[in-house]
């Protein structure tokens, strides 16, 4: 059988794309080496544009996630609190979602979508290349042919590596995360709390069922011992955070991931597209990875639905629009990473944010996917929704 689209990976990007394409009438085969539910190290804060994308797919975000209205930064005695545009009035919110539950919900919806076949426990081991074009996937060494192959197989993409598209990354940072179950009587968390250190940052995200996530980002050279010991040392040094964790119950094991930034030399080839983290990913310091996976999946589906053919030129047009759509987010993220390397500037930066709440809110709107830094958002390719709100 010749499928319209074969997708390697059923994470957020792969499943969302399969749902969109199935609803457009295409035949889609998705291959995922894992079984759901599965754990994955992730910050688990879904930004407002990502929440909107899930709701348009038909998922119940209130059941899946705990709402947060913005970000609250802590640096010693300094606190700077910002809301998403409209968030302080309860309009625009992000949601903290267990990645385990979100991935399973999207995969289940994909499996129920007409025209989509989801295969779990089967690994796509590499691309099938014939006469200079990707024509399918090798799934457990058996060929599966398709008009288009999409690699949505994550940060360590096997497809990207097999096609020689990896690009080296100089800066090595490490992420780790652990879940806790809150004791009763503690007020609901309304913001993602970020505790800035001199060599590391801690992120606390509210989750459903009284749980919360504590994640850490750190430069690799700053680790001085076992990650479990370092992780505990960091949160113990935060007077506002330590009592909350001491009085909570662990709800998962500590998981570690690296690298936190990735690049691809090219993101499209004849008959082939890299999507989600497989296409390259920006440091999670500003928390937009899951949202971008949903947005770029929708953008690709729109381009495929509108194109007369799926030529390399059509795929390149999608890639150019994708890069433009992510540009402002990457600019803000680069600024935050630069600030993290100059801790002497953190205090004045937080003072600036506190004194200019509208500007702070605007920047959160950029990272949340609901604002552009300087220009209007691009129009959607699918009439039922927008890709990024203005």
């Amino acid at each position: 059988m010749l499928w319209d689209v074969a997708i390697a990976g059923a994470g957020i990007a792969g499943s969302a794309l399969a749902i969109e394409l199935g609803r457009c009438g295409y035949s889609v085969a998705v291959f995922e080496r894992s079984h759901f539910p599965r754990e994955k190290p992730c910050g688990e804060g879904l930004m407002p544009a990502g929440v909107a994308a899930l709701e348009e797919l038909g998922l119940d975000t209130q059941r899946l996630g705990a709402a947060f209205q913005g970000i609250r930064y802590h640096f010693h005695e300094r606190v700077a609190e910002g809301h998403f545009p409209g968030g302080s009035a309860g309009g625009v919110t992000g949601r903290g979602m267990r990645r385990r539950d979100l991935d399973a919900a999207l995969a289940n919806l994909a499996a129920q979508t007409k025209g989509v076949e989801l295969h779990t426990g089967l690994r796509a081991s590499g691309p099938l290349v014939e006469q200079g074009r990707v024509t399918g996937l090798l799934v457990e060494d058996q060929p599966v042919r398709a008009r288009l192959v999409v690699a949505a197989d994550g940060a360590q993409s096997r497809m990207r590596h097999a096609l020689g598209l990896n690009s080296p990354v100089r800066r090595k940072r490490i992420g780790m995360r652990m879940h806790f179950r809150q004791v009763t009587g503690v007020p609901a968390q309304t913001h993602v709390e970020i505790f800035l250190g001199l060599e590391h940052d801690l992120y606390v995200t509210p989750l459903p069922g009284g749980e919360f996530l504590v994640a850490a980002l750190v430069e690799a050279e700053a680790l001085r011992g076992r990650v479990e010991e370092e992780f505990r040392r960091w949160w113990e040094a935060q007077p506002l955070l330590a009592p909350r964790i001491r009085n909570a119950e662990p709800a998962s094991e500590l998981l570690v991931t690296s690298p936190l930034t990735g690049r691809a030399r090219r993101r499209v080839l004849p008959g082939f597209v890299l999507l989600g983290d497989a296409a390259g990913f920006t440091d999670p310091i500003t928390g937009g990875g899951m949202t971008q996976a949903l947005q770029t999946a929708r953008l690709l589906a729109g381009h495929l639905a509108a194109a007369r053919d799926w030529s390399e030129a059509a795929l390149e047009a999608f890639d150019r629009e994708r890069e433009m759509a992510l540009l402002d987010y990457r600019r803000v993220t680069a600024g935050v990473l630069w600030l993290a390397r100059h801790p002497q500037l953190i205090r004045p930066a937080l003072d600036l944010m506190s004194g200019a709440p509208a500007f702070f809110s605007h920047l959160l709107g950029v990272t949340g996917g609901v604002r552009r830094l300087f220009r209007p958002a691009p129009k959607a390719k699918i009439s039922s929704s927008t890709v990024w709100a203005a």
Side-chain angles (χ1 to χ4, degrees):
M1 175 178 178
L2 177 66
W3 296 89
D4 288 321
V5 181
I7 302 174
I12 293 175
S15 289
L17 178 64
I19 295 165
E20 297 275 11
L21 292 178
R23 291 175 179 176
C24 289
Y26 296 109
S27 62
V28 185
V30 188
F31 300 94
E32 169 58 51
R33 66 178 182 177
S34 304
H35 293 281
F36 297 98
R38 64 177 184 186
E39 293 284 2
K40 184 175 181 179
C42 178
E44 299 187 335
L46 186 67
M47 294 299 189
V51 174
L54 284 185
E55 290 174 349
E56 293 198 9
L57 288 175
L59 291 182
D60 184 353
T61 61
Q62 293 189 28
R63 180 185 62 82
L64 280 172
F68 58 89
Q69 297 177 352
I71 309 294
R72 186 180 293 122
Y73 285 95
H74 303 262
F75 184 68
H76 300 302
E77 76 286 357
R78 291 291 198 280
V79 178
E81 179 179 298
H83 296 91
F84 297 120
S88 59
V92 178
T93 63
R95 288 196 175 269
M97 300 183 180
R98 283 290 296 261
R99 184 62 187 268
R100 174 195 64 191
D101 299 333
L102 175 56
D103 281 2
L106 279 169
N108 289 338
L109 184 57
Q112 295 165 13
T113 301
K114 184 179 179 180
V116 177
E117 286 191 13
L118 173 64
H119 304 270
T120 59
L122 292 178
R123 184 180 66 180
S125 55
L128 183 65
V129 182
E130 298 171 318
Q131 297 181 345
R133 180 183 179 87
V134 178
T135 58
L137 290 171
L138 293 173
V139 180
E140 302 295 343
D141 297 324
Q142 296 300 313
V144 176
R145 285 181 165 79
R147 293 173 57 201
L148 179 69
V149 172
V150 177
D153 52 342
Q156 309 297 330
S157 173
R158 183 180 294 269
M159 300 296 133
R160 186 181 67 221
H161 178 76
L163 289 168
L165 300 178
N166 285 333
S167 182
V169 176
R170 296 178 182 178
R171 187 174 183 180
K172 185 174 182 182
R173 280 163 51 85
I174 294 173
M176 56 194 79
R177 71 98 176 109
M178 186 172 178
H179 299 95
F180 297 88
R181 189 169 294 108
Q182 188 67 65
V183 295
T184 58
V186 176
Q189 184 177 337
T190 59
H191 291 66
V192 171
E193 307 278 351
I194 301 179
F195 296 85
L196 303 174
L198 295 179
E199 296 178 326
H200 63 274
D201 303 320
L202 296 176
Y203 299 75
V204 184
T205 304
L207 298 169
E211 292 186 348
F212 63 97
L213 171 85
V214 180
L217 302 179
V218 62
E219 301 287 346
E221 60 267 23
L223 285 173
R224 297 181 178 84
R226 297 176 63 246
V227 290
E228 296 86 354
E229 295 170 352
E230 292 285 84
F231 185 66
R232 184 180 183 88
R233 179 173 67 85
W234 295 333
W235 63 254
E236 285 277 13
Q238 295 292 340
L240 295 179
L241 179 59
R244 184 179 179 190
I245 296 180
R246 291 193 203 106
N247 293 324
E249 298 176 354
S252 73
E253 296 182 352
L254 181 68
L255 291 185
V256 181
T257 185
S258 183
L260 300 183
T261 303
R263 298 189 186 93
R265 293 193 299 107
R266 293 187 63 186
R267 294 166 296 276
V268 300
L269 296 171
F272 179 80
V273 177
L274 289 168
L275 187 66
D277 284 350
F281 50 102
T282 305
D283 191 282
I285 195 167
T286 43
M290 295 194 298
T291 294
Q292 291 169 16
L294 290 164
Q295 291 177 314
T296 53
R298 169 154 293 178
L299 188 63
L300 176 57
H303 272 264
L304 296 179
R308 293 183 178 180
D309 58 37
W310 294 350
S311 64
E312 186 177 4
L315 300 181
E316 292 282 3
F318 152 73
D319 190 45
R320 287 192 298 271
E321 187 170 347
R322 169 172 57 180
E323 289 299 289
M324 287 301 298
L326 297 177
L327 180 59
D328 286 345
Y329 176 85
R330 289 172 176 164
R331 286 169 170 165
V332 174
T333 299
V336 175
L337 283 170
W338 179 86
L339 187 63
R341 284 194 160 183
H342 299 81
Q344 72 276 13
L345 299 178
I346 293 177
R347 185 177 281 106
L350 294 187
D351 290 342
L352 173 63
M353 294 297 99
S354 296
F359 177 60
F360 194 1
S361 179
H362 178 69
L363 291 180
L364 290 182
V366 174
T367 61
V370 296
R371 287 283 177 88
R372 284 300 185 192
L373 199 53
F374 305 115
R375 62 187 186 279
K379 293 182 179 180
K381 297 297 181 179
I382 297 179
S383 60
S384 63
S385 64
T386 57
V387 180
W388 279 273

